[in-house]
Amino acid sequence: AAAHVVVVGGGFGGATAARYLRRYNPGLRITLVEPATQFVTCPFSNLYLGGLRTWESITHGYDAIRSEGIGVVHASAEDIDATARKVTLSDGAVLEYDRLVLSPGIDIRWGALEGYDEAAAELAPHAWKAGPQTQLLKAQLEAMADGGTFVMSITDGAFRCPPGPYERASMVAHYLKTNKPKSKILLLDSKETFSKQGLFRQGWEALYGDMIEWISADNDGKVARVDAGALTVESAFGVTHKADVLNVVPPQKAGWIADRAGVTNETGWVPVNGNTFESAQVGGIYVVGDATIAAPMPKSGFCANAQGKVAAAAITADLAGQEPPPASFVNTCYSLIGPDYGISVAGVYYFDGEKLAEREGSGGVSPLEADEAFRRAEATYGAGWYASISADTWG
Ligand code: FAD
């Protein structure tokens, strides 16, 4: 019988792995397990908040994947027995696998930030998984009065999409400037620096004047406690900030099914072999995307997609009794500051024999000195990137 590969998670990493397994090995049996019948992307969800994208335009279905002869099961994986090579699903079905791919994304570490639990997220959304949380945040912005304050608390440590909070601030600023120009944005950061900082701050000043205030950790920006009912946060040194809309980007960890599979370590994330993305702890299980420890690669959809392809190639080789091909990855994170104002950071990564490394002389960020035409071009490239990565991942 044909070998069976089960893929858990139909987001950037999992859907890509399933489709590339099919391309590399047309005879393989492949089953994709994903509870949602439609996937809403975090990429460009900030543009939805800014009023530049519709909900439909960031939503993708699984018909194309199904039409390629991949079994798509809408259930969640509840348990994994790595010894018997079995996955138990929420509908009671048990899938036997020869190789397993996990791309479960992130989960929130509820309570790691004092006061921020699941109930608090219904009042002060994180919107760090695209879906109802994103729509809640948008509704709150729309209900906010002109002159209100949008407060964002930003975590430190490893988190999904390093430039994401700052693109969100930009897109919220665009919405407020257009609709509620007396409003303010306060960013309370647990870090001292952030991704593409010089470029973001330059763009904010050019487009939004002093609407956005960023407070770093060394200026008491780190939030120690959240009171979602009162819409207040308290800083590490005891200063209280009151919000009209409160957005919390909280501490994160690998999606919980990774714990069940025994592939996470004490950090809550998944160590992998950087050449194959096979778990460093459990043979036969490949983990890709945000759940993994893959620094210097960031936790991005583009990286999850690239890692999905590397894992698919490694599994194909392994099932054929061959050595895995040498892994190489590329990533670009575009951020939109205004409708015609884009910036980016890019990198090329490889496995150096011991660990993942960035290819010297590759990548980098957009130049600080650039004219309007350059920023406009990058905004266009960002839209092109979104169209092509979506087509590559979901068809
Ligand atoms: P996901 O894409 O989240 O997919 C995980 C899937 O697994 C989900 O569909 C989930 O339902 C499923 N799942 C979880 N548990 C189970 C289970 N037990 N059983 C079955 N299925 C399960 N990245 C970029 O490259 N460019 C951007 O511009 C960008 N912008 C972003 C903006 C924001 C605001 C945010 C929050 C993120 C952004 N990202 C961006 C990051 C990107 O969203 C993630 O890096 C990417 O989604 C990671 O892919 P993944 O496959 O690891 O997880």
Side-chain angles (χ1 to χ4, degrees):
H4 187 206
V5 180
V6 173
V7 180
V8 172
F12 280 91
T16 303
R19 294 189 79 201
Y20 277 76
L21 279 163
R22 167 55 71 241
R23 282 190 209 181
Y24 296 153
N25 186 344
L28 203 60
R29 237 182 98 211
I30 306 163
T31 306
L32 177 64
V33 180
E34 163 62 52
T37 54
Q38 294 204 301
F39 186 86
V40 184
T41 62
C42 280
F44 279 39
S45 67
N46 289 328
L47 281 65
Y48 164 77
L49 293 174
L52 299 177
R53 277 271 174 164
T54 63
W55 193 247
E56 293 68 41
S57 76
I58 59 168
T59 303
H60 305 275
Y62 292 95
D63 289 348
I65 293 179
R66 248 188 213 99
S67 74
E68 291 168 355
I70 295 163
V72 181
V73 179
H74 291 301
S76 90
E78 295 290 324
D79 206 5
I80 288 164
D81 181 338
T83 312
R85 301 209 168 191
K86 284 181 181 160
V87 183
T88 304
L89 307 188
S90 50
D91 62 8
V94 176
L95 303 178
E96 295 191 19
Y97 65 83
D98 294 291
R99 299 291 182 279
L100 178 65
V101 179
L102 301 179
S103 191
I106 56 151
D107 269 333
I108 310 298
R109 284 183 200 266
W110 299 115
L113 171 59
E114 195 183 321
Y116 200 66
D117 57 16
E118 278 162 287
E122 294 305 316
L123 304 168
H126 53 79
W128 222 241
K129 294 185 182 191
Q133 278 276 305
T134 320
Q135 291 174 309
L136 175 61
L137 184 57
K138 173 123 167 127
Q140 291 183 346
L141 283 167
E142 284 171 355
M144 188 176 94
D146 191 6
T149 304
F150 171 82
V151 176
M152 194 192 309
S153 161
I154 307 165
T155 189
D156 53 5
F159 69 104
R160 158 176 283 183
C161 196
Y166 314 96
E167 183 190 59
R168 176 168 293 172
S170 310
M171 289 292 94
V172 169
H174 170 72
Y175 168 75
L176 294 176
K177 182 183 170 184
T178 317
N179 295 281
K180 297 163 189 184
K182 295 201 280 276
S183 308
K184 287 275 172 214
I185 295 176
L186 179 61
L187 306 179
L188 298 170
D189 212 322
S190 300
K191 302 185 298 312
E192 268 140 43
T193 57
F194 63 87
S195 171
K196 294 181 273 191
Q197 182 169 339
L199 288 161
F200 270 115
R201 302 204 72 179
Q202 183 188 58
W204 290 346
E205 208 182 297
L207 298 185
Y208 307 117
D210 59 2
M211 184 183 258
I212 302 176
E213 185 185 357
W214 174 70
I215 305 185
S216 66
D218 37 3
N219 287 309
D220 197 24
K222 186 179 173 69
V223 168
R225 194 161 301 108
V226 174
D227 184 339
L231 290 183
T232 58
V233 295
E234 194 183 317
S235 74
F237 292 102
V239 177
T240 297
H241 300 274
K242 170 87 177 87
D244 294 289
V245 173
L246 177 58
N247 178 204
V248 178
V249 180
Q252 299 159 28
K253 60 179 180 175
W256 57 269
I257 193 68
D259 279 334
R260 297 274 173 93
V263 293
T264 51
N265 69 11
E266 69 288 349
T267 65
W269 304 101
V270 179
V272 290
N273 170 331
N275 198 43
T276 59
F277 276 71
E278 187 171 14
S279 158
Q281 295 176 185
V282 185
I285 303 184
Y286 294 70
V287 188
V288 297
D290 288 357
T292 62
I293 301 169
M297 298 184 79
K299 296 189 186 301
S300 78
F302 201 156
C303 284
N305 171 280
Q307 293 160 5
K309 291 170 187 173
V310 163
I315 289 169
T316 305
D318 189 32
L319 288 172
Q322 296 164 358
E323 288 298 308
S328 177
F329 315 79
V330 60
N331 176 65
T332 307
C333 285
Y334 289 99
S335 299
L336 205 63
I337 299 183
D340 298 315
Y341 196 120
I343 58 171
S344 66
V345 55
V348 178
Y349 305 90
Y350 69 110
F351 183 68
D352 73 1
E354 274 173 33
K355 57 181 188 332
L356 288 162
E358 184 161 5
R359 188 68 73 187
E360 228 176 286
S362 75
V365 298
S366 313
L368 261 179
E369 307 299 324
D371 59 12
E372 281 179 23
F374 192 96
R375 303 292 187 224
R376 193 175 315 117
E378 286 224 283
T380 310
Y381 302 153
W385 169 81
Y386 184 82
S388 57
I389 198 103
S390 300
D392 193 43
T393 306
W394 296 280

